[in-house]
Amino acid sequence: MLRYKRDVEEADKVYFCGWIYHTTKSNAQPPNLEKTRLLMGEAAYKRCCERNISSKWTDLIERRTDPDLENFLA
């Protein structure tokens, strides 16, 4: 079964849509961490660096979710 993947530029993905908690071989990548810092602030950036977490982004406003930073940073 083929899965369709939309070809959208990262710069167009400005709506937060979740977190990826890396637990295996993959790691949060520097461009993603920088985007997190720019769009969510220094505290979210530091938490992602400390815990190997990536932020997920979409260009579709209907897919956006509340990042609930208060609980994320607690």
Side-chain angles (χ1 to χ4, degrees):
M1 174 186 207
L2 290 177
R3 199 169 159 178
Y4 173 73
K5 184 174 180 177
R6 298 173 61 243
D7 186 20
V8 179
E9 294 291 326
E10 277 301 314
D12 294 330
K13 296 179 182 180
V14 295
Y15 303 107
F16 175 82
C17 64
W19 301 106
I20 300 171
Y21 296 86
H22 298 283
T23 58
T24 58
K25 297 177 185 178
S26 65
N27 290 308
Q29 297 299 304
N32 179 270
L33 293 169
E34 181 62 13
K35 186 172 189 174
T36 301
R37 187 183 69 74
L38 290 172
L39 298 179
M40 303 182 100
E42 195 68 25
Y45 165 79
K46 287 180 180 179
R47 176 62 52 104
C48 287
C49 289
E50 292 166 357
R51 303 229 175 137
N52 197 22
I53 299 170
S54 293
S55 53
K56 292 193 312 185
W57 302 89
T58 182
D59 65 316
L60 302 172
I61 195 167
E62 63 272 10
R63 289 193 181 168
R64 77 177 186 268
T65 60
D66 180 358
D68 192 11
L69 286 177
E70 187 174 314
N71 285 322
F72 180 71
L73 298 173

